[in-house]
């Protein structure tokens, strides 16, 4: 009987090891350890043994049963591992294949520049003011110290709708309108918008373009405030290392007037093709608001002063992003527009 | 304005600075120097040669073989192709080794078998613009009339060793439209003095007034007129130095008389005109307004028709010049002229501007009159011209000019306090420093009681108010010296208006949905202007458009967006999704200004989803774009108030177009382009939409504050129903009918299937809806759902031709 037990043990263990999956293994379990299995038969046969042999044999059978169960569990674990491994292997994917596209558009580069400037100045207490693209001659010219027949009107060739109505040639009429509306109160505004000039469209000219202007009116506003403000602007838009230089200039609506250059962001000032070897790039114009402009808007120019500045948004964008043809901004080629996706610090 | 530094240095000493430094100082003080040009173009080996002999080239008709003395031991053989080369001439020779401005390198060469040891040059070959070369030499080599030793450096002899500053003058600085004006500016910058030109004349005994009478009829347009008579003038080419001065200033030399008037124009900024006294015929000058339709042939041989607003100089009978603009051919100085009348006048700027603009005649003269000349230089310029006529044309000046003069020549007074200046600059410049700066600028300065009383030089017509003085002080003190501060005092919080903030949200939503922001022009063609317009309103047109294509203000953004799609498709960018936020222009208000309404529009074409390797690609369709609009409405909190109603719009597909209603009011449209429109534009399936942003954002801003609704704690139940309905019944009608029934527990209705295949009866379709019922207070019981669902079914039953499957 002992021998039979030994043979049985070897047989079971062999069968267990031969199983390839949990189903086969379960069949083996049922066949040998089940109620109708040979081990149960063996135990049933114990009655025939002597009382001395019975405990010995019982221990042997239990030992064998334990061993078989152990091996069985071990093998079950192995089979499971094997099955998981097979599943994982079959489920492997090529992770380099492209993901499912999530469509995402982006701002037009001109809007991007405008919003960047708006945000900078809102942080300094400016409001964003807007006005009509079709303006009255009064707000576009006369309120800005450009009476009819003024030679400086030559500087800006105008699209007229009628003798008194025109497409605004700059965003300055928004300044005039805002001052008038404020009725003598302090003003801090930034005015973005579309403007129009009689120009034939080419790489550097556009009959429609964008400007953004700033205006501060209050008691005690000084030219040094303009300079400090512009310095902040230049550093935000073109980098902390930028230096500015102001040059005297002329605009009918400011006195004194300035033009601002920034140190070239490409060469740092040593001279390159971007700055035309001068080390400086002309960026904007500005000045102290002309007393005639203040008076026309109802301010007492002996008490209140102001500064204003303005720039072409296309120019800023062209400089900032290295765009070489102004027409790109208006043809809306997706290969152009999609280049302005990523964020900037 | 072109400034020859050789010329400038006759009036002001700039030797302390290099030319580049000088240019930089001028720029930093307020007049921008656009370019610093070396008029020798760094040439060398260019000398004067004497042509000793000339013979025809045996092999070439147009070439001459010249033997030229270039100051060397032997004559040099040079082949020359110019028709005007001849023996006995002094010419400009570029010797081997010379590099000409065009980059041409001169080498020993053989031309058709004959040796050539250099090149005989035209002025153009030395870098002079063709329009400035004296007419006699415009088509050939330049011949030097005077005696000069062969071998002399030609650049020295012809005054080409010079630097030209190109000034970009702002319109206010008309004082710098003259060499003397620039000299004053430079002297102020360098803190030095100006040496004035010689204007001394010794007149002969005869009196001008015996030969010439003057009458000015319009004393407003012509407050001052000086006529000088110079006789026994010999008209001939000007000396080389004078010709070179003019060419450097951009003026073509003609003859000594005309050259002198131009020279003085450039020197003083005072335009002059020279009449041939004898050709005036009448001995009379009358300045008057032209009669309507009066004609004159100007110096450029064009006949001009005048208007009653034009000012003319006449001989008492007929016009001999258009005042300040151009002289007449009938009184022009010729080679035979012996007696010259020099006119120096002050013509009022606006009139000159109007006349020169209308006639399209902008001259060096008109440009200066338009901006206002210096009242105190009219007489001086006349004297200077007369003195040069004596010196360079052998003329004799008659005594006592013929003069009319009612011109105010007083210097303007401005009183300014140092506090005023410093308060505006944010600086602390002392009164003494201010006084010093203003004196350098030639202002008369009296400092008393803490104020500066200033007399403004009359050439500085741009200085009118105290703020102008602030700029004068600041620019010479140096804008670099201004400190950097920020505005002080109370400030508001800077923020966007609700409209502006929401407009940014609209952009964010459109971009989040995958559309790129586009920008197009407000001006379009008159045909495109009203296409797709949401409202009927008169259009606004330009008075004088540059082209029909950009003649009218748009009333819809869609046409230019479709144009942008066509641009892309033509470049094989076949999938395009764009949106734009921009104004449309509707009708006119009482000022004649159109009402500007901001819209948002979008256009999509090509593939919306392109994930081919997993078999997922999707072409754009109506519902893609509708989904974008719905997302936008959810973001704006307007989705419950928006509806889509089938509509017909010109240019759009009649079966695929809807009006978009907000609270029942039309605020937009969506649709597929009509196949004919697509064909015309060269695009495939394309969908467009446009919304009135003013209306949307006004509604978005006029709603209760956002508040939370409890997340349901009890599960809802859903019931699906499939309806067989008439093909032309819209699913929206079913939804509307169900909503109308106001079933309390009904939370949500969605369409989950639409079938129109051949399994359906003729004219029928199947639409399946999923209905969700929910009570936030408790778990629904079956009978509650049944009761609610029955109400829904009852509502559906009211729609004709619709039944539950």
């Amino acid at each position: 009987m002992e021998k039979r037990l030994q043979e049985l043990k070897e047989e079971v263990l062999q069968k267990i090891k031969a199983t390839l999956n949990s189903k086969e293994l379960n069949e083996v379990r049922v066949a040998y350890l089940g109620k109708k299995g040979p081990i149960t038969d063996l135990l049933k046969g114990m009655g025939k043994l002597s009382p001395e042999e019975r405990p010995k044999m019982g221990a042997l059978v239990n030992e064998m049963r334990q061993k078989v169960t152990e091996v069985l569990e071990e093998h079950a674990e192995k089979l499971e591992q094997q099955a998981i491994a097979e599943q994982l292997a079959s489920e492997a994917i090529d992770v380099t294949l492209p993901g499912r596209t999530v469509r995402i558009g982006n701002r037009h580069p001109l809007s991007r520049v405008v919003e960047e400037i708006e945000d900078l100045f809102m942080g300094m207490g400016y409001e964003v003011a807007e006005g009509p693209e079709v303006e009255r001659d009064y707000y576009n010219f006369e309120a800005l110290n450009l009476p009819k027949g003024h030679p400086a009107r030559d500087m800006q060739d105008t699209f007229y709708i009628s003798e008194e109505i025109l497409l605004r040639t700059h965003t300055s009429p928004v300044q005039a309108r805002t001052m008038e509306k404020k009725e003598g109160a302090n003003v801090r505004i930034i005015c973005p918008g579309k403007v129009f000039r009689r120009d034939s469209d080419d790489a550097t000219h556009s009959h429609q373009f964008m400007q953004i202007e700033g205006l501060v009116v209050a008691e005690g506003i000084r030219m040094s405030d303009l300079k400090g403000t512009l310095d902040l602007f230049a550093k935000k838009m073109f980098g902390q290392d930028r230096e500015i230089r102001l040059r005297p200039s002329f605009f009918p609506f400011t006195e004194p007037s300035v033009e601002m250059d920034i140190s070239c962001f490409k060469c740092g000032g040593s001279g390159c093709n971007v700055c035309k070897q001068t080390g400086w790039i002309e960026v904007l114009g500005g000045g102290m608001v002309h007393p005639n402009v203040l008076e026309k808007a109802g301010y007492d120019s002996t008490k209140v002063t102001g500064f204003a500045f303005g720039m072409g948004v296309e120019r800023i964008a062209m400089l900032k992003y290295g765009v070489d043809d102004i027409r790109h901004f208006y043809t809306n080629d997706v290969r152009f527009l999609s280049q302005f996706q990523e964020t900037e610090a | 304005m072109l400034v020859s530094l050789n010329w400038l240095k006759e009036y002001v000493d700039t030797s302390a600075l290099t030319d580049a430094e000088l240019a930089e100082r001028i720029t930093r003080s307020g007049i921008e120097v656009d370019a610093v040009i070396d008029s020798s173009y760094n040439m060398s080996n260019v000398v004067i040669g004497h042509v000793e002999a000339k013979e025809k080239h045996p092999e070439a008709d147009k070439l001459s073989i010249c033997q030229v003395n270039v100051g060397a031991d032997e004559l040099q053989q040079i082949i020359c192709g110019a028709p005007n080369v001849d023996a006995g001439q002094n010419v400009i020779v570029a010797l081997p080794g010379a590099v000409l401005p065009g980059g041409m390198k001169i080498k020993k060469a053989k031309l058709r078998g004959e040796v050539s040891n250099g090149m005989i040059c035209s002025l153009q070959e030395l870098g002079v613009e063709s329009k400035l070369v004296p007419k006699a030499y415009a088509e050939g080599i330049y011949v030097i009339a005077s005696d000069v030793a062969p071998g002399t450096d030609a650049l020295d002899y012809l005054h080409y060793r010079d630097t030209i500053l190109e000034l970009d003058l702002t319109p206010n600085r008309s004082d710098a439209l003259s060499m003397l004006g620039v000299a004053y500016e430079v002297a102020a910058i360098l803190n030095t003095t100006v040496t004035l030109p010689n204007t001394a004349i010794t007149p002969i005994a005869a009196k001008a007034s015996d030969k010439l009478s003057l009458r000015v009829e319009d004393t407003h347009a012509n407050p001052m007129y000086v006529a000088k008579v110079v006789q026994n003038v010999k008209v001939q080419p000007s000396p080389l130095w004078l010709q070179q001065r003019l060419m450097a200033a951009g003026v073509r030399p003609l003859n000594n008389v005309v050259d002198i008037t131009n020279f003085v124009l450039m020197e003083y900024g005072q335009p002059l005109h020279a009449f041939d006294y004898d050709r005036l015929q009448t001995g009379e000058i009358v300045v008057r307004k032209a009669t309507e339709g009066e004609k004159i042939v100007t110096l450029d041989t064009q006949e001009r028709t005048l208007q009653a607003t034009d000012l003319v100089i006449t001989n008492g009978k007929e016009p001999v010049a258009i005042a300040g603009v151009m002289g007449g051919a009938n009184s022009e100085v010729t080679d035979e002229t012996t007696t010259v009348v020099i006119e120096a006048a002050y013509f009022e700027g606006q009139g000159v501007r109007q006349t020169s603009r209308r006639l399209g005649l902008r001259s060096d003269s008109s440009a200066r009159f338009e901006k206002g000349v210096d009242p105190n230089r009219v007489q001086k310029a006349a004297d200077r011209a007369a003195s040069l006529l004596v010196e360079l044309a052998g003329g004799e000046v008659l005594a006592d000019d013929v003069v009319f003069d009612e011109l105010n020549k007083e210097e303007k007074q401005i009183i300014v306090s140092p506090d005023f200046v410093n308060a505006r600059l944010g600086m602390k410049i002392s009164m003494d420093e201010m006084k010093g700066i203003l004196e350098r600028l030639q202002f008369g300065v009296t400092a008393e009681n803490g104020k500066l009383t200033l007399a403004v030089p009359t050439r500085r017509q741009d200085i009118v108010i105290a703020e102008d003085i602030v700029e004068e002080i600041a620019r010479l003190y140096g804008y670099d010296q201004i400190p950097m501060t920020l505005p002080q005092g109370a400030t508001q919080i800077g923020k966007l208006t609700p409209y502006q903030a929401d407009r940014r949200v609209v952009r964010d939503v459109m971009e989040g949905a995958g559309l790129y922001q586009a920008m197009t022009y407000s001006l379009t063609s008159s045909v495109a202007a009203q296409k797709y317009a949401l409202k009927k309103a008169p259009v606004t047109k330009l008075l004088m458009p540059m082209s029909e294509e950009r003649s009218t203000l748009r009333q819809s953004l869609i046409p230019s967006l479709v144009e942008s799609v066509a641009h892309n498709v033509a470049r094989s960018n076949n999938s395009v999704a764009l949106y734009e936020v921009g104004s449309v222009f509707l009708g006119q208000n009482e000022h004649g200004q159109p009402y500007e309404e901001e819209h948002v529009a979008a256009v999509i074409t090509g593939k919306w989803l392109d994930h081919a390797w997993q078999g997922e690609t999707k072409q754009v369709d109506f519902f893609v774009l509708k989904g974008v609009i719905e997302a936008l409405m959810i973001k704006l909190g307007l989705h419950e108030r928006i509806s889509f109603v089938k509509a017909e719009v010109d240019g759009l597909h009649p079966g695929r177009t809807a009006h978009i209603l907000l609270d029942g009011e039309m605020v937009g449209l969506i649709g597929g382009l009509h196949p004919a429109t697509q064909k015309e534009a060269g695009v495939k399936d394309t969908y467009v939409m446009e919304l009135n942003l003013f209306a949307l954002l006004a509604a978005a801003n006029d709603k209760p504050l956002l508040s939370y609704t409890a997340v349901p704690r009890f599960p809802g139940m859903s019931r699906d129903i499939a309806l067989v309905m008439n093909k032309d019944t819209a699913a929206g009608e079913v939804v509307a009918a169900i909503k109308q029934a106001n079933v309390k527990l009904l939370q949500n209705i969605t369409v989950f299937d639409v079938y129109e295949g051949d399994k359906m009866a003729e004219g029928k379709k199947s639409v399946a809806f999923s209905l969700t019922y929910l009570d936030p207070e408790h778990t629904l019981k079956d009978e509650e759902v049944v009761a609610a669902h029955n109400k829904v079914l009852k509502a559906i039953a009211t729609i004709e031709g619709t039944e539950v499957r």
Side-chain angles (χ1 to χ4, degrees), chain A residues 97-101 103-108 110-111 115 118-119 122 124-136 148-155 159-163 165 167 177 182 186 188 194 196 198-201 206-208 210 216 221-229 231-232 244-250 255-259 282 288 290-291 301-302 304-305 307 327 329-335 337-338 341, chain B residues 24 27-30 32 170-172 350 353 357 362 370-371 423-426 465 467-468 470-471 474-475 479-497 500 503-504 507-508 511-523 540-546 550 553-554 564 567-568 571 573 575-583 585 591-594 596 598 607-611 613-614 616:
Chain A
L97 282 168
R100 196 173 186 280
T101 313
R103 296 182 58 97
I104 181 128
N106 56 251
R107 288 282 198 280
H108 192 283
L110 297 179
S111 281
E115 288 186 10
E118 285 175 352
D119 291 347
M122 280 195 285
M124 295 192 280
Y126 289 61
E127 295 170 294
V128 177
E130 294 168 284
E133 291 171 41
V134 183
E135 257 299 357
R136 292 163 62 187
K148 289 208 161 90
H150 191 289
R153 281 198 183 196
D154 281 3
M155 286 164 87
F159 284 120
Y160 278 93
I161 302 288
S162 67
E163 207 160 295
I165 304 295
L167 300 193
R177 282 176 176 274
K182 291 266 181 178
N186 290 354
R188 265 191 202 201
K194 294 169 184 166
F196 305 83
R198 283 186 79 89
D199 265 328
S200 295
D201 298 338
S206 183
H207 76 277
Q208 175 183 320
M210 290 194 79
V216 174
I221 294 296
R222 305 155 294 180
M223 204 155 151
S224 57
D225 299 330
L226 172 64
K227 193 172 176 184
T229 302
D231 187 58
L232 267 179
I244 63 164
R245 102 177 165 177
L246 300 186
R247 281 180 292 108
S249 187
F250 169 76
E255 188 67 39
S257 301
V258 306
E259 263 177 279
E282 193 176 313
M288 299 300 289
H290 196 288
S301 69
T302 61
V304 167
T305 51
F307 69 69
R327 287 169 295 198
F329 293 116
Y330 295 98
T331 43
N332 301 308
D333 192 308
V334 291
R335 294 165 300 178
L337 294 178
S338 60
Q341 191 76 256
Chain B
E24 175 69 11
T27 294
R28 300 297 288 263
S29 307
E32 195 172 348
T170 51
N172 60 324
Q350 281 235 31
R353 180 161 178 252
R357 284 203 135 194
R362 321 253 348 234
E370 279 177 23
K371 288 174 176 150
R424 268 149 191 81
L425 295 177
I465 54 174
E467 281 78 0
D468 296 323
V470 176
E471 178 169 279
R475 73 185 182 90
Y479 275 19
D480 287 349
Q481 306 296 318
I482 300 173
M484 292 199 208
T485 58
L486 288 174
Q488 309 293 308
T491 60
Q492 70 224 352
I493 293 169
K495 60 175 186 168
L496 296 173
T497 64
Q500 290 165 343
R503 185 175 50 195
R504 284 197 183 184
R507 290 178 180 151
D508 289 341
E511 286 158 24
L515 288 84
Y516 292 106
Q517 188 189 8
M519 286 216 188
T520 60
Y521 299 128
S522 298
L523 285 170
T540 308
K541 282 172 168 290
L542 294 182
L543 266 187
M544 286 187 298
M546 294 174 74
R550 307 264 172 253
L553 286 159
R554 62 179 171 185
S564 293
H567 169 94
N568 275 288
R571 285 153 186 80
N573 307 329
S575 297
V576 184
L578 302 173
Y579 82 94
E580 179 171 13
V581 174
S583 287
F585 304 83
H591 298 295
Q593 264 173 296
E596 294 184 25
E598 210 156 33
K607 284 178 184 143
W608 181 253
L609 178 63
D610 190 6
H611 189 53
W613 75 265
Q614 283 194 323
E616 287 180 290

Side-chain angles (χ1 to χ4, degrees), chain B residues 8-17 186-187 190 192-195:
Chain B
L8 184 71
K9 284 168 189 172
E10 292 191 4
Y11 314 117
V12 60
D13 178 12
T14 65
S15 54
L17 300 177
V186 169
L190 303 183
T192 179
T193 52
V194 170
T195 309

Side-chain angles (χ1 to χ4, degrees), chain A residues 40-289:
Chain A
T40 312
D41 287 349
L42 267 181
L43 285 172
K44 279 179 190 160
M46 285 235 299
K48 293 173 194 163
L49 292 177
S50 67
E52 301 86 60
E53 274 180 316
R54 236 178 265 167
K56 196 181 154 204
M57 208 51 213
L60 276 174
V61 172
N62 275 335
E63 191 190 321
M64 175 211 171
R65 205 188 174 114
Q66 216 168 1
K67 176 72 184 167
V68 169
T69 310
E70 214 170 88
V71 171
L72 197 107
E73 273 166 14
E74 236 169 66
H75 195 64
E77 172 71 22
K78 197 176 141 202
L79 285 179
E80 198 181 334
Q81 290 299 335
Q82 218 172 312
I84 288 172
E86 273 165 28
Q87 186 194 351
L88 291 180
S90 73
E91 284 173 1
I93 54 168
D94 178 353
V95 297
T96 65
L97 282 168
R100 196 173 186 280
T101 313
V102 174
R103 296 182 58 97
I104 181 128
N106 56 251
R107 288 282 198 280
H108 192 283
L110 297 179
S111 281
R112 187 182 169 118
V113 168
V114 165
E115 288 186 10
E116 197 177 340
I117 297 173
E118 285 175 352
D119 291 347
L120 169 68
F121 282 96
M122 280 195 285
M124 295 192 280
Y126 289 61
E127 295 170 294
V128 177
E130 294 168 284
E133 291 171 41
V134 183
E135 257 299 357
R136 292 163 62 187
D137 184 274
Y138 176 79
Y139 288 111
N140 195 73
F141 289 127
E142 283 184 46
L144 300 168
N145 199 31
L146 277 154
K148 289 208 161 90
H150 191 289
R153 281 198 183 196
D154 281 3
M155 286 164 87
Q156 10 190 289
D157 232 344
T158 310
F159 284 120
Y160 278 93
I161 302 288
S162 67
E163 207 160 295
E164 289 302 323
I165 304 295
L166 45 80
L167 300 193
R168 66 179 174 191
T169 57
H170 46 191
T171 43
S172 309
V174 183
Q175 300 190 5
R177 282 176 176 274
T178 306
M179 281 191 279
E180 196 178 83
K181 221 187 300 170
K182 291 266 181 178
E183 292 184 332
N186 290 354
V187 178
R188 265 191 202 201
I189 51 167
I190 194 95
C191 328
K194 294 169 184 166
V195 302
F196 305 83
R197 306 253 171 110
R198 283 186 79 89
D199 265 328
S200 295
D201 298 338
D202 61 26
T204 53
H205 297 86
S206 183
H207 76 277
Q208 175 183 320
F209 57 102
M210 290 194 79
Q211 277 191 342
I212 188 160
E213 299 195 358
L215 171 72
V216 174
V217 177
E219 271 183 45
I221 294 296
R222 305 155 294 180
M223 204 155 151
S224 57
D225 299 330
L226 172 64
K227 193 172 176 184
T229 302
L230 293 181
D231 187 58
L232 267 179
F233 162 78
K235 287 181 163 59
K236 170 70 176 67
M237 294 301 286
F238 295 102
Q240 286 301 315
D241 303 338
R242 298 283 68 73
E243 282 173 37
I244 63 164
R245 102 177 165 177
L246 300 186
R247 281 180 292 108
S249 187
F250 169 76
F251 305 104
F253 23 87
T254 49
E255 188 67 39
S257 301
V258 306
E259 263 177 279
M260 183 183 89
D261 301 332
I262 56 169
S263 56
C264 181
F265 46 78
K266 190 173 175 202
C267 64
S270 57
C272 69
N273 58 338
V274 170
C275 60
K276 294 182 194 135
Q277 311 304 330
T278 63
W280 295 97
I281 300 172
E282 193 176 313
V283 166
L284 59 76
M288 299 300 289
V289 181

Side-chain angles (χ1 to χ4, degrees), chain B residues 405-424:
Chain B
D405 186 6
E406 287 184 359
L407 182 60
N408 178 7
K409 299 183 206 62
E410 266 175 44
E411 294 186 326
K412 218 171 300 156
Q413 263 213 357
I414 296 176
I415 298 170
V416 65
S417 74
D419 287 349
F420 178 90
V421 175
N422 283 324
R424 268 149 191 81

Side-chain angles (χ1 to χ4, degrees), chain B residues 7-315:
Chain B
W7 190 355
L8 184 71
K9 284 168 189 172
E10 292 191 4
Y11 314 117
V12 60
D13 178 12
T14 65
S15 54
L17 300 177
T18 66
D19 295 347
E21 286 166 351
L22 177 63
E24 175 69 11
R25 291 285 296 274
I26 294 172
T27 294
R28 300 297 288 263
S29 307
I31 295 177
E32 195 172 348
V33 178
D34 257 1
V36 179
I37 303 154
D38 168 12
S39 56
S40 78
Y41 295 98
N42 207 17
M43 285 181 279
S44 57
N45 279 13
V46 182
V47 300
I48 305 291
H50 185 76
V51 182
E52 299 289 344
K54 175 190 109 163
E55 55 183 292
K56 260 195 66 196
H57 191 298
E59 303 293 326
D61 279 353
K62 288 184 176 164
L63 297 181
S64 309
I65 302 174
C66 303
Q67 304 303 326
V68 186
N69 177 358
V70 294
D73 294 345
E74 289 172 20
L75 294 185
Q76 299 293 315
Q77 174 166 307
I78 297 174
I79 312 295
C80 181
N84 62 333
V85 68
D86 214 344
Q89 287 172 340
N90 283 333
V91 295
I92 305 164
V93 179
L95 294 172
V99 181
L100 299 183
M104 184 195 236
K105 288 179 187 154
I106 305 300
K107 286 180 254 178
K108 259 191 196 184
K110 267 194 176 179
L111 286 170
R112 300 262 177 128
E114 295 292 338
V115 170
S116 184
N117 289 325
M119 183 169 99
I120 302 179
C121 299
S122 66
L123 288 185
Q124 288 92 326
E125 281 156 341
L126 298 190
V128 179
E129 275 185 84
S130 289
K131 63 172 191 187
L132 300 180
V133 174
K135 275 190 178 147
Y137 309 114
E139 306 293 334
I141 55 158
Y142 187 65
V143 180
I144 297 155
S146 45
D147 277 343
V148 50
T152 304
D153 183 299
L155 299 171
D156 273 343
Y157 189 74
L158 294 167
H159 307 278
Y160 280 117
R161 296 214 188 273
D162 195 0
T163 300
I164 311 292
L165 302 185
E166 194 181 328
L167 305 185
D168 182 11
L169 291 177
T170 51
N172 60 324
R173 291 302 304 273
S174 58
D175 64 294
L177 278 170
S178 66
M179 294 303 297
L180 279 172
V182 175
Y184 278 118
E185 175 77 5
V186 169
I189 294 167
L190 303 183
N191 196 10
T192 179
T193 52
V194 170
T195 309
L196 291 172
N198 173 29
T199 53
I201 318 159
T202 315
I204 58 171
K207 284 188 171 175
S209 53
D210 290 341
K211 296 197 79 163
L212 189 71
S213 70
L214 168 69
R215 192 171 82 245
V216 175
E217 288 185 0
D218 191 326
T219 60
H220 167 74
N222 180 206
M224 182 171 182
Y225 195 105
V226 176
K228 281 185 114 75
V229 181
V230 184
Q231 65 183 27
N232 288 331
V233 164
K234 188 167 183 299
V235 178
Q236 61 190 14
S238 300
L240 282 180
W241 68 263
L242 177 53
Q243 294 196 33
Q244 177 50 29
R245 289 275 186 271
L246 289 179
M247 285 191 272
V251 178
R252 169 183 249 163
L254 198 63
N255 59 49
N256 53 357
V257 174
V258 174
D259 290 354
I260 285 167
T261 61
N262 284 329
F263 179 82
V264 176
L265 160 74
M266 290 299 167
E267 191 175 43
Y268 280 80
Q270 167 65 45
L272 300 177
H273 185 65
F275 296 104
D276 181 321
Y277 174 83
D278 296 311
R279 297 184 70 200
L280 272 179
Q281 291 176 337
T282 58
E284 187 182 1
I285 285 178
V286 177
V287 185
R288 61 162 168 84
K289 283 281 160 70
T291 55
E292 196 70 35
E294 200 168 9
K295 291 190 166 55
I296 176 173
V297 176
T298 42
L299 286 174
D300 54 4
T301 71
Q302 300 275 311
E303 187 180 78
R304 311 280 177 175
T305 305
L306 302 170
Q307 293 184 354
T309 47
D310 300 327
L311 190 71
V312 287
I313 317 299
T314 71
N315 61 1

